Amino acid sequence: RELTVQLGERSYPIYIGEGLLDQAAFYFDKHGIGKQSPLLIVTDEQVGRLYLDKLESGLRAAGYRTVSAVVPAGEQAKSLLQFEELITIALKAGLDRKSAIIALGGGVVGDLAGYAAAAYMRGIRFIQMPTTILAHDSSVGGKVAVNHPLAKNIIGAFHQPAMVLYDLETLRTLPPREVSSGLAEVVKHGLIRSAEFVAWIDENADKLRALDPEALGYALYFGCRVKAEIVSQDERENDLRAILNLGHTIGHALEAVGGYGELLHGEAIAIGMVGAARIGVELGAPREVYEVTKRVLAKCGLPVRLPAHFDTDAIMDAMRHDKKFKEGRMVFIVPTAIGDVVIDKNMSAERVRRIVEQLKEEEQ
Ligand code: NAD
Ligand code: ZN
């Protein structure tokens, strides 16, 4: 399957299919990645062990020069320290303005490598090769960043990739918990744009969890399409793009309070989406919005209840660090129907607090 992210001169293709890792050289060549300048492949230890040799040998056989950087697996790799490390490797390998940096991995590798590509020589080309379900979201749209000890994703840029090459075969080695975490963003794309797609996930959740190639290919294509459409209309998040943050205001706070270890990103936003649905119903959406949201997320193997030991004050404090929090009010994405949301720019922190408390009482 193939899609285009429409952004004028910065438009780029997304290829989704099986066996694309082996054909990387073909696609690179097709999109003008030259063989004169070296390429830097960034991956993490886990993904590197599984797929780096395959990618490198294919590229080298086709005449590309490659160097690789293998970072530790996990969120800690999104740091200024790792960023500097990548720049060192890039300099030593002689990467120039015609070089490209390739991200082979999940959202962590994509965000880190993308930020290095955005900054190195004020920006060189960047290719996303996602290997997680979650990365169907993070690899599209050009938001790249590393974390600061005080705040996640706070050092970043907009830097669109030249191409997204999504080999679904790599997903077969994903741990089940990572599969479910990634499905949370798939569900999110349905909840903001398509009731039909949500109904389809409701029917096919088991197949998705079992990585059925047909079902997964369709779901990831649909998810990428929703993301691509929204990014095309509002690349820099002036307005519309904010709807992609459904479940994230609460979710990011839960990740922070859990020390970025207890809850995976998708798990945290799943709980956040249940909270958002509850708020939607309070504000007049049909009760089905809450029921369907919760049911579909649970079918995907996601938590819908907030573990009781999460401290509500700490969660509210974490939300205050959010860029969009001011005087007890925040920007919050509120579902109005399945497949539809609105951006509430004046949500009361008090209401959110009450909902967070209720999330500890949800039936799992
Ligand atoms: P991740 O990159 O840490 O990958 C999850 C784990 O799975 C890692 O341990 C990794 O080594 C392993 N893994 C990856 N691919 C594998 C494979 N094919 N087989 C076996 N193991 C594999 O995490 P993620 O969930 O992909 O991404 C989360 C990150 O994405 C967060 O940092 C989040 O902030 C970021 N994000 C960014 C955007 C964006 O728009 N830029 C959007 C959403 C999320
Ligand atoms: Zn997310």
Side-chain angles (χ1 to χ4, degrees), residues 20 29 35 57-58 64-65 67 69 73 89 101 103 107 125 147 149-150 155 196-198 201 207 216 298 329:
L20 298 182
D29 197 41
K35 292 176 183 170
S57 56
Y64 282 100
R65 278 190 293 145
V67 283
I89 294 172
I101 295 182
R125 279 179 298 180
N147 302 329
L150 295 179
I155 307 161
E196 261 174 47
F197 183 55
V198 173
I201 301 172
K207 285 189 188 165
L216 198 60
R329 300 273 153 181

Side-chain angles (χ1 to χ4, degrees), residues 155-334:
I155 307 161
F158 284 100
H159 190 58
Q160 298 292 344
M163 178 189 342
V164 180
L165 208 52
Y166 203 169
D167 186 345
L168 302 181
E169 266 175 25
T170 62
L171 300 176
R172 290 193 197 138
T173 50
L174 267 184
R177 207 177 147 196
E178 297 289 349
V179 170
S180 290
S181 173
L183 290 175
E185 300 277 16
V186 177
V187 173
K188 178 194 79 178
H189 286 131
L191 289 174
I192 59 182
R193 270 297 161 96
S194 170
E196 261 174 47
F197 183 55
V198 173
W200 181 88
I201 301 172
D202 202 0
E203 293 274 298
N204 291 279
D206 286 347
K207 285 189 188 165
L208 292 173
R209 289 174 75 178
L211 302 172
D212 172 86
E214 196 58 38
L216 198 60
Y218 173 69
L220 294 176
Y221 167 79
F222 198 97
C224 286
R225 200 176 78 187
V226 170
K227 175 91 187 243
E229 276 170 14
I230 293 168
V231 168
S232 295
Q233 289 170 55
D234 180 19
E235 184 182 9
R236 301 246 161 179
E237 195 165 325
N238 294 317
D239 198 40
L240 175 74
R241 186 168 176 165
I243 69 175
L244 293 166
N245 294 330
L246 174 65
H248 283 62
T249 305
I250 293 175
H252 280 156
L254 299 183
E255 279 184 280
V257 171
Y260 297 105
E262 184 163 0
L263 291 174
L264 298 177
H265 180 70
E267 294 171 341
I269 69 155
I271 298 168
M273 286 190 279
V274 175
R278 271 197 174 273
I279 289 181
V281 173
E282 272 192 13
L283 296 175
R287 190 171 161 80
E288 138 197 273
V289 168
Y290 160 73
E291 284 161 357
V292 172
T293 298
K294 189 171 159 179
R295 180 176 73 233
V296 172
L297 289 168
K299 277 189 182 174
C300 289
L302 286 156
V304 293
R305 188 221 320 250
L306 177 61
H309 66 270
F310 275 75
D311 181 55
T312 305
D313 289 327
I315 294 167
M316 296 313 293
D317 268 345
M319 268 183 238
R320 265 172 218 116
H321 289 303
D322 203 290
K323 300 184 266 296
K324 290 146 193 159
F325 191 100
K326 240 192 214 146
E327 289 158 17
R329 300 273 153 181
M330 61 180 96
V331 179
F332 201 94
I333 310 307
V334 183

